[in-house]
Amino acid sequence: LPGVTISAISAPGGLLAAAAATTGADGTYALAVPSGVALSLHVDAYAATGGKYAGARATATVLPGQTLMVPFALNAAHTFPAGLQMLSAPYAYAAGDDLAALFGLTPPLAAGGPRFAAWSPTLGGYLSYPTSPVNTLSAGRGYWARLPAPSYLHYDGPLVPPSAPFTITLSAGWNQIGDPFPLPVPLPMVTAGGLPLAAGAPVSPTLYRYDTATGAYAALNSASDALRPYTGYWIFAYQPTVLSLAPPGR
């Protein structure tokens, strides 16, 4: 990332004078630390839009009088495999965060290239990118994607607040959903219309995910399985209802 301003922050907080640099065309920089100062250095990278690249952090301790080179790599929090898959994202991206751009793709997408779609239960058919809601990734929603190569989200969005249950409004019929949190949500922590996922609930207690490796659907056991981040799921609602997902660990 060229042209990024690098600053040194002291603990417990405060900018260190004269400790700033700008990355060059190849993304590298040299940071001159004030004399006699020891730093515990955390290196983060940010996209031009302000979203943070997942996993882009390296830590090192710089002692007074020491020159240190700290190599690090931008590692994605999750890599989606190539091929057809049903996915989701545990981030609350804004409406302007273009779905293709999230994957580092430049619209318009070429014929035969990546494809994105989502099921509309109200229309009874699929909507394709860039038609809303397939113009971005929304927390709690599942999407179909056909990726020609392993891909990753190029920057994170804000996390869903973990202080309260996350609700998903379901229409009658099949709905595509996803885990809105960065941690698995056990299905016993999911309710529909205030009822557990069991007989008598307004939804089928059996959910399905698409297994990219086998090209077939796999059923989830509502008593022992969990919704997992970055995966999309089918759920069938017998009537319009509200699905409630308790935050993991609560």
Side-chain angles (χ1 to χ4, degrees):
L1 297 176
V4 176
T5 299
I6 307 297
S7 301
I9 307 296
S10 64
L15 190 64
L16 293 179
T22 302
T23 58
D26 62 353
T28 62
Y29 67 93
L31 184 67
V33 179
S35 176
V37 175
L39 290 179
S40 177
L41 186 66
H42 301 284
V43 181
D44 286 294
Y46 290 82
T49 57
K52 179 183 172 184
Y53 276 72
R57 167 163 286 196
T59 303
T61 300
V62 186
L63 302 176
Q66 180 184 22
T67 298
L68 186 66
M69 180 176 288
V70 185
F72 74 105
L74 300 181
N75 297 314
H78 179 82
T79 298
F80 297 96
L84 181 66
Q85 58 204 284
M86 192 158 55
L87 55 77
S88 65
Y91 303 113
Y93 288 110
D97 291 327
D98 181 80
L99 188 151
L102 292 176
F103 281 93
L105 306 171
T106 302
L109 301 181
R115 286 291 181 267
F116 302 98
W119 176 257
S120 170
T122 56
L123 297 178
Y126 283 105
L127 296 172
S128 299
Y129 171 88
T131 303
S132 178
V134 202
N135 54 343
T136 193
L137 290 176
S138 299
R141 180 182 287 274
Y143 302 81
W144 282 110
R146 186 185 294 277
L147 302 172
S151 306
Y152 63 94
L153 296 173
H154 277 52
Y155 60 93
D156 300 353
L159 292 175
V160 172
S163 56
F166 184 88
T167 58
I168 302 172
T169 300
L170 302 180
S171 300
W174 288 104
N175 295 259
Q176 284 182 300
I177 65 169
D179 182 356
F181 301 106
L183 296 172
V185 177
L187 288 181
M189 297 173 60
V190 179
T191 60
L195 299 173
L197 302 184
V203 300
S204 170
T206 304
L207 282 72
Y208 298 89
R209 64 177 179 84
Y210 182 77
D211 190 323
T212 304
T214 63
Y217 286 111
L220 275 66
N221 186 314
S222 60
S224 58
D225 285 330
L227 299 180
R228 300 191 177 278
Y230 304 103
T231 302
Y233 299 91
W234 284 113
I235 185 171
F236 187 85
Y238 300 118
Q239 62 191 52
T241 190
V242 174
L243 203 67
S244 180
L245 288 69
R250 295 180 64 88

